[in-house]
Amino acid sequence: GDITWTHQPEQRGTGHAGRLALPNVPDQARVLVLYGDVPLVRPQTLRRVLEHEEPLAALVAQLDTPWGYGRVVRDGIGRIRAIVEEKDASAEQRAITCINSGILAADARRLRVWLANLGTDNAQQELYLTDVFAQAAEEGTPAAAEMCASPQEVFGANDPWQLAGLERMHQRS
């Protein structure tokens, strides 16, 4: 009874999806953004992301081969300065092995402002949800990075083969 579905008729990016969903969320809420294709993420991991006091936090992971993932650019004390999608990353940024899982928590009021300021100046001409991290850093409130204890928790299933692999991981755990 307390679920509201939002339809995204035109696929203009993750930031666009957030813009469409956020009008149904009260300003004082803490928003948790999840991907539908990450079946191994554990509830206790999500709680750690939600419990950060910063207005914005992301679940990140270390991967030896981060191909395909957005890279997390952090400052000297580990806070997130930006998340750069692989298609938009420089060679130096692609060498970063800390990746974005796509899972984030944010204060609804702040997220609403950041989403309103998104642009499409990127390789895919889409509204990237990840661009809110650079906005937060520019405001002087860099996001918290919650390191995932097990990178397998954030592996996605984009085809039946990947789904079968995740099922095998789940069965072994």
Side-chain angles (χ1 to χ4, degrees), residues 88-139:
D88 299 300
S90 66
E92 181 182 338
Q93 290 167 329
R94 282 191 297 275
I96 296 171
T97 58
C98 183
I99 61 98
N100 173 39
S101 73
I103 296 171
L104 66 86
D107 293 345
R109 184 183 59 77
R110 302 286 289 279
L111 184 58
R112 198 177 318 280
V113 172
W114 294 325
L115 288 174
N117 292 328
L118 293 179
T120 58
D121 186 22
N122 55 61
Q124 299 182 84
Q125 297 295 295
E126 292 182 349
L127 297 169
Y128 288 169
L129 178 60
T130 50
D131 287 348
V132 303
F133 290 90
Q135 289 183 54
E138 287 171 16
E139 289 177 4

Side-chain angles (χ1 to χ4, degrees), residues 30 48-49 52-60 72 74 78-81 83 103-105 133 136 141-147:
R30 183 84 168 155
R48 287 196 324 266
V49 177
H52 279 278
E53 292 183 16
E54 290 85 348
L56 183 60
L59 182 62
V60 302
V72 179
R74 294 186 285 177
R79 297 174 307 181
I80 300 172
R81 304 295 303 174
I83 293 178
I103 296 171
L104 66 86
F133 290 90
T141 55
E146 179 63 42
M147 187 61 68

